[in-house]
């Protein structure tokens, strides 16, 4: 049974992106699976040119076009590579994840989702000099 949850993107600087809907194929899953589904959907939409905004969990690479406009020259992104980068970024505490009202700190802890669940990704910015 699949369920659709709401995903929010925020930063500690107050930046908030429009929420998106994410289909998860099991109501009991892990944060790793949520991140995998999130990256897969983000990259699929980006590659299909349905979305021009920057991918939330992935730091922009030097060769990535930083404008909001979609161009035909943009390379296709590899979701598996970006998924690996997102997992590493989580390990480095580049972002935290709140599921409903609880921060999830372990990638493989079980999470029970409902159609009312929301997952918020808070992107953190490293301190200057740190």
């Amino acid at each position: 049974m699949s369920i659709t949850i709401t995903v929010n993107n925020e930063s500690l600087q107050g930046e908030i992106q429009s929420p998106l809907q994410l289909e998860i194929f099991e109501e009991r899953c892990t944060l790793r699976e949520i991140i995998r589904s999130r990256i897969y959907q983000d990259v699929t939409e980006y590659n299909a040119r349905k979305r021009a905004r920057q991918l939330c969990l992935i730091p922009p690479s030097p060769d990535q076009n930083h404008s909001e406009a979609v161009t035909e020259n943009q390379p296709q992104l590899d979701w598996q590579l970006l998924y690996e980068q997102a997992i590493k970024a989580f390990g480095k505490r580049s972002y935290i994840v709140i599921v409903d009202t609880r921060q999830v700190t372990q990638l493989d802890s079980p999470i029970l989702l409902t159609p009312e669940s929301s997952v918020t990704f808070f992107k953190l910015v490293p301190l200057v000099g740190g």
Side-chain angles (χ1 to χ4, degrees), residues 10-125:
E10 299 183 24
S11 75
L12 295 179
Q13 292 73 34
E15 296 173 25
I16 300 174
Q17 292 181 354
S18 298
L20 59 100
Q21 300 300 304
L22 180 65
E23 186 175 9
I24 301 290
F25 295 100
E26 297 289 330
E27 65 183 23
R28 182 172 295 277
C29 65
T30 64
L31 179 57
R32 185 182 305 273
E33 292 165 342
I34 292 171
I35 293 171
R36 181 186 179 281
S37 295
R38 163 71 192 277
I39 296 296
Y40 181 81
Q41 180 173 319
D42 276 355
V43 171
T44 300
E45 290 177 6
Y46 183 89
N47 285 342
R49 309 296 190 252
K50 293 179 183 174
R51 188 176 63 213
R53 71 175 166 82
Q54 199 174 57
L55 301 175
C56 176
L57 299 182
I58 311 303
S61 64
D63 60 336
Q64 191 175 352
N65 184 347
H66 300 292
S67 72
E68 290 291 316
V70 175
T71 68
E72 294 300 318
N73 300 352
Q74 290 175 313
Q76 295 285 299
L77 300 178
D78 178 352
W79 77 268
Q80 292 172 319
L81 177 64
L82 295 177
Y83 164 71
E84 291 170 13
Q85 290 176 358
I87 294 297
K88 286 178 186 172
F90 181 81
K92 293 179 181 178
R93 294 178 172 70
S94 297
Y95 61 93
I96 60 173
V97 181
I98 308 293
V99 177
D100 296 325
T101 59
R102 182 177 65 94
Q103 180 178 350
V104 180
T105 58
Q106 301 295 316
L107 287 169
D108 296 312
S109 295
I111 300 169
L112 182 61
L113 298 171
T114 69
E116 292 79 31
S117 290
S118 73
V119 177
T120 302
F121 290 86
F122 280 102
K123 193 168 186 174
L124 305 175
V125 176

